[in-house]
Amino acid sequence: MSGRWERFCVVGVGGHARNRLIPAIRANDQILVGVVSRKQPDAPPDAPVFASIEQALLALPEDTVFVLATPPAAHFEQALAILRAGCDVFVEKPAFVTAAEAREAAATATRSGALLVEGFMNRHTLTHRRYLADWAASPPVAVECVFTIPEAPANTFRSESAIGSSNLYDIGAYFLAALLDAGLPLDALTLVRVDEPGRPDRERLHFAGELGGVRVRGLIGVDAGYANSMTLTRSDGTALRYEPFVYGRPGARRVIATVEGGEHETVVEDVNAFEAIFAAPRAQWRSSQSDRLDRMVELTRQLERLGRALAQFRADRP
């Protein structure tokens, strides 16, 4: 199979799949050849519906790409079944809950020759590329990430008490991935405080650490208002703030430079990252696979490590 992906089967048709993933596939003039869903009324009316991945694998063309839009706890078994059949897998972030799962999935993809892509849409935005270019041009001495939402989505896996369904995995994964993309080692990043531990609708996580000589702070979770920014501070005291930093839809992003004398704003007109990621050439995914899988495994290891700390905060709550 050469060129870009053309045929897709979406596994799980919740709000994200219906509102972001499937529209992106169709906007690219790619083909939705099926969905896997046990909730028939939620499935698109113009695509075959399969009750299981196994049924879909038997019925669909070999070059079908499977998009896993299911909760993180389900990804591992689903991805293994698809990879063992030799089909490419796009899996929503975070791809897996444990480092052992990530390593086995990566090894299975390597053996089968299939592609395994972790779906961080924001990596395909102009804003993210600008952030990495700015970092490389003048590495920061301090980084601060704030990503808070006024309320957690109701009636989704995020309402569950499992660590893999927590704000750490759902929102914090963006923060950790951005640091990894910039080349920072993450082992010294610690979870220093948790507000409202064990309350998915209120839990808020505070991070801190000195990573490779860079002072890092992070705040993620549920707060009174929406905030979504990444700030890089340089040794001369100047700073760059990107907001919103994590975003997949098209629109204006602000890059705010703080220099002596005030602030200067640049507007980045960003693309639809959901469309961009599905339109990327397969050869591009193939050439980057080794590096991507290494980062996926490391990200999952860090999530698992910090997840143990979060579990302790929850256990120690009054």
Side-chain angles (χ1 to χ4, degrees), residues 24-304:
I25 291 167
R26 288 175 167 156
N28 287 343
D29 292 325
Q30 294 162 305
I31 305 169
L32 183 67
V33 294
V35 297
V36 176
S37 176
R38 288 174 294 183
K39 299 179 180 179
Q40 301 283 335
D42 291 339
D46 55 347
V49 180
F50 300 95
S52 69
I53 288 172
E54 289 71 23
Q55 289 182 7
L57 285 168
L58 288 172
L60 296 176
E62 293 180 357
D63 62 351
T64 298
V65 181
F66 284 78
V67 178
L68 300 186
T70 49
H75 290 169
F76 178 61
E77 294 297 335
Q78 293 173 338
L80 282 193
I82 298 162
L83 291 169
R84 286 169 177 162
C87 291
D88 294 347
V89 178
F90 173 95
V91 55
E92 272 293 330
K93 66 81 199 163
F96 303 106
V97 175
T98 69
E101 290 178 349
R103 284 192 290 267
E104 185 170 347
T108 302
T110 300
R111 286 194 300 268
S112 71
L115 295 177
L116 173 57
V117 176
E118 187 172 27
F120 280 94
M121 301 295 181
N122 61 299
R123 283 174 167 163
H124 292 257
T125 63
L126 301 178
T127 303
H128 193 75
R129 294 175 192 170
R130 168 74 180 267
Y131 151 80
L132 291 178
D134 289 340
W135 186 301
S138 182
V141 296
V143 174
E144 182 174 15
C145 177
V146 179
F147 193 175
T148 61
I149 55 178
E151 59 183 359
N155 302 317
T156 70
F157 72 89
R158 299 169 184 85
S159 303
E160 299 172 0
S161 61
I163 296 295
S165 301
S166 67
N167 288 323
L168 170 64
Y169 274 72
D170 185 36
I171 301 176
Y174 290 113
F175 171 40
L176 300 185
L179 298 177
L180 278 177
D181 290 351
L184 288 187
L186 300 186
D187 281 331
L189 185 68
T190 59
L191 185 57
V192 295
R193 192 172 97 226
V194 177
D195 303 324
E196 301 284 354
R199 293 284 304 272
D201 59 334
R202 295 185 183 180
E203 197 168 64
R204 188 166 53 254
L205 285 61
H206 301 257
F207 301 87
E210 184 159 328
L211 315 181
V214 180
R215 299 186 307 277
V216 175
R217 291 192 305 167
L219 170 64
I220 65 102
V222 181
D223 206 349
Y226 178 79
N228 183 346
S229 67
M230 178 73 85
T231 303
L232 310 182
T233 301
R234 293 164 169 161
S235 58
D236 61 2
T238 62
L240 289 172
R241 185 171 77 252
Y242 311 83
E243 61 180 25
F245 180 67
V246 178
Y247 215 62
R249 286 174 284 180
R253 315 287 186 266
R254 299 192 302 160
V255 181
I256 302 163
T258 302
V259 297
E260 187 176 350
E263 292 186 342
H264 302 280
E265 180 178 310
T266 301
V267 175
V268 177
E269 289 294 340
D270 227 322
V271 299
N272 186 315
F274 302 96
E275 295 173 17
I277 201 168
F278 289 139
R282 192 172 187 273
Q284 176 179 312
W285 293 124
R286 172 60 63 199
S287 66
S288 66
Q289 174 119 307
S290 178
D291 175 65
R292 288 187 297 97
L293 295 183
D294 285 347
R295 278 188 291 160
M296 179 190 74
V297 171
E298 177 60 10
L299 172 66
T300 313
R301 184 178 76 84
Q302 296 295 340
L303 286 170
E304 186 177 14

